[in-house]
Amino acid sequence: MAQHSWHVPLRRAESRQLWRYEARRAGWAAVATPPAALLVAVTMALFAGNGGAGRRQIGDLLLTGLEAVLPLAVAMSAVTLVARDGCRELQLALPTRYARTLGRRLGVLALATVLSALVYSAGVGITGWWTGPNPLASALVWAPPTLWLGALAVLLAVLGRSVVLATSAVAGLWLCEQVLASLLVGHDWTRPLYLFTTSRVGTGEGWLTNRLTLTLTGLLLAGAVALLLRRPHLLLSEEEE
């Protein structure tokens, strides 16, 4: 299905109105998912504290929430945003490319993720529970794995056109990285792509390389999504076709 696009410049007020509309279309889950995921991490830390866990263990749990729980939640929410629109056939007939529409909705999720992660990191740091790298580098704890896992989730959702396939693959990968952590960080060829280096290994030698590798490969995955969306019919399920 071919789709043509005519770019019509929007005035600032119209642009704000468009973003508000897409935020409503994205739904409350896109905004609530990132803070909810971090709230789960705080709850886990509170339970661990009540159970007699040491200060370091509690701090590591809070760090895990930022590096592991948040990316998984964001990836699952991204798949939902790609798959939930029931009017894709109509969208593909409009002058504006659907990729831009989808990009704005994913942008709402990205903004909620960034704000939640920054507030969470600041809160953990101010209260003295931060066990990660220098606070100035705190974004490297959550941004690379979130970008990588989120981009992979969207790519699988577009290629497979199936929520179940995409979410199952992402959850399976996430679980394997948790269970096989010692194996994955023990090999030179898998260590740079391990998602949870900060909370599982620490910020020693190779940490920055790991973060940069995840960022670059995450951008490549996002670029692959952008290329695929130049063929918008890939978004249609078999029933919609």
Side-chain angles (χ1 to χ4, degrees):
M1 179 184 295
Q3 184 186 19
H4 302 285
S5 176
W6 297 270
H7 178 66
V8 180
L10 296 176
R11 292 191 296 271
R12 184 174 301 177
E14 293 173 333
S15 180
R16 286 197 299 267
Q17 184 177 4
L18 179 60
W19 275 96
R20 285 196 296 267
Y21 170 77
E22 295 299 352
R24 289 195 299 269
R25 291 290 298 166
W28 63 268
V31 177
T33 294
L38 295 174
L39 182 60
V40 168
V42 172
T43 303
M44 292 169 54
L46 289 174
F47 277 117
N50 291 333
R55 186 176 184 85
R56 179 72 189 190
Q57 290 176 299
I58 296 173
D60 287 346
L61 271 176
L62 292 170
L63 193 66
T64 298
L66 192 61
E67 186 179 43
V69 179
L70 178 64
L72 178 62
V74 170
M76 295 300 184
S77 184
V79 171
T80 303
L81 287 179
V82 173
R84 66 177 293 184
D85 198 331
C87 300
R88 281 190 290 266
E89 311 99 308
L90 176 61
Q91 289 279 358
L92 298 183
L94 296 177
T96 302
R97 287 189 181 276
Y98 184 57
R100 292 179 183 171
T101 300
L102 181 59
R104 282 190 290 267
R105 294 176 189 175
L106 291 172
V108 172
L109 175 62
L111 179 60
T113 301
V114 171
L115 292 177
S116 299
L118 291 177
V119 171
Y120 179 89
S121 301
V124 173
I126 290 172
T127 55
W129 293 101
W130 183 255
T131 61
N134 186 300
L136 294 178
S138 62
L140 292 178
V141 174
W142 57 268
T146 302
L147 169 64
W148 197 95
L149 204 60
L152 176 65
V154 174
L155 180 62
L156 292 176
V158 173
L159 284 176
R161 296 186 285 185
S162 169
V163 175
V164 175
L165 174 64
T167 54
S168 298
V170 169
L173 174 65
W174 186 92
L175 185 59
C176 285
E177 293 228 352
Q178 295 292 347
V179 174
L180 304 176
S182 58
L183 179 64
L184 293 173
V185 299
H187 294 83
D188 292 339
W189 62 279
T190 54
R191 191 181 305 116
L193 286 171
Y194 185 63
L195 295 173
F196 314 123
T197 300
T198 313
S199 54
R200 285 305 189 101
V201 181
T203 58
E205 183 180 357
W207 179 77
L208 185 58
T209 300
N210 168 265
R211 300 290 97 175
L212 293 176
T213 302
L214 286 176
T215 300
L216 290 175
T217 52
L219 290 174
L220 288 176
L221 290 172
V225 171
L227 288 175
L228 286 173
L229 290 180
R230 294 174 67 88
R231 302 174 63 193
H233 65 277
L234 291 175
L235 290 164
L236 297 177
S237 64
E238 294 182 0
E239 292 78 8
E240 291 170 326
E241 289 179 339

